[in-house]
Amino acid sequence: MHVDSLKKELKERKYRMTPQREQVLKVFIETNSEHLGAEEVYRYLLSKRINVSKATVYRTVDLLVELGFLRKLQFDEGVYRYELVDKDNKHSHFICNSCGKIYELKDELSPDKILKDYTDLLRAQGFEVNEFDVKFRGMCPKCSKKTRKDK
Amino acid sequence: MHVDSLKKELKERKYRMTPQREQVLKVFIETNSEHLGAEEVYRYLLSKRINVSKATVYRTVDLLVELGFLRKLQFDEGVYRYELVDKDNKHSHFICNSCGKIYELKDELSPDKILKDYTDLLRAQGFEVNEFDVKFRGMCPKCSKKTRKDK
DNA sequence: ATATATGCAAAACGTTTGCGGCCGC
DNA sequence: GCGGCCGCAAACGTTTTGCATATAT
């Protein structure tokens, strides 16, 4: 389970396991990693009567990024969002400008495999590529359908 | 010239041409669109003894985005940056984690053409794609070389 | 003449930090 | 017991806002 590997990873790096760290990680597991921001994680825990301070949530999501459990995302809103890292399930994002929903594009809908080829190209130019990400923007199927009806 | 088309575009949308708007646009032209943030635009103008208020700079870059002269960018730093839109020169970005420099990847180094194919794929699924962007991260040739020497 | 744009200062926003006390190891 | 972690509140940097004044049309 995810929580166990957190315990293990923390020990290896001489960090400590705490109830707060477990709870924050659990939020992402329970919510299916819905691209939450730190503030939202905090409120989610409050709503479940789990006592954590806001500062700890901010520190913890940072730590979880450092440990490789979370990925930090930005969608042009002035908020950092986070998602669970799942190495076997690389994906890119589609953000609907109408309803704001963020879609995860996986498998054949995700251009990740092809972008990997580009990292080789960049490497040949002296760039060391550690990561890359793609974002698409526009209108999602639902909103698109709605708009056409409205006319 | 860019400034003339600004004048034209403003008139069309019933906005007014002002010295401040001209000056802000000029900053991006003069600096070759170096991914400046609003704060930096403000300081640049101050340094040239051009009087504009910070609030106006913020309002103006927003307006220039709306009018299609600038593109709003984010590079994980808590600052919005802006670049001149140049439709004939689509590019993606490489951000060096070591020195922070942002490189523009153009032509054969930019995967934009291939990503366009993906927008067709998404369209077939009901998504309307208006825009997309790619970011690569890692170490740029300069820093990479330096690091190897340091060892 | 009118309404839009500006400047200023204050507020808002998400995030980070300093510090005393707590608690995992 | 030690050192890392926590909670609190204050500080931070960027961006937005309200309002009175100036100015483009």
Side-chain angles (χ1 to χ4, degrees), chain A residues 21-103:
Chain A
R21 288 174 178 178
E22 173 169 351
Q23 291 300 340
V24 169
L25 178 55
K26 270 189 173 171
V27 171
F28 286 94
I29 296 166
E30 285 173 16
T31 61
N32 291 310
S33 190
E34 288 272 3
H35 311 102
L36 302 178
E39 198 79 26
E40 291 169 333
V41 172
Y42 173 65
R43 277 192 239 116
Y44 182 88
L45 287 171
L46 270 201
S47 78
K48 298 194 109 192
R49 303 250 149 57
I50 295 170
N51 275 3
V52 193
S53 74
K54 202 178 281 195
T56 296
V57 174
Y58 275 95
R59 286 190 274 237
T60 303
V61 290
D62 270 4
L63 179 67
L64 292 175
V65 169
E66 190 196 326
L67 297 181
F69 287 82
L70 296 181
R71 192 182 348 261
K72 193 175 189 175
L73 305 171
Q74 241 180 339
F75 297 108
D76 268 32
E77 330 149 88
V79 188
Y80 290 112
R81 301 189 166 279
Y82 301 85
E83 69 179 11
L84 276 178
V85 169
D86 177 357
K87 280 170 187 167
D88 304 328
N89 205 355
K90 247 272 182 201
H91 61 269
S92 50
H93 294 103
F94 180 96
I95 304 107
C96 178
N97 289 332
S98 175
C99 67
K101 189 165 161 32
I102 298 161
Y103 290 77

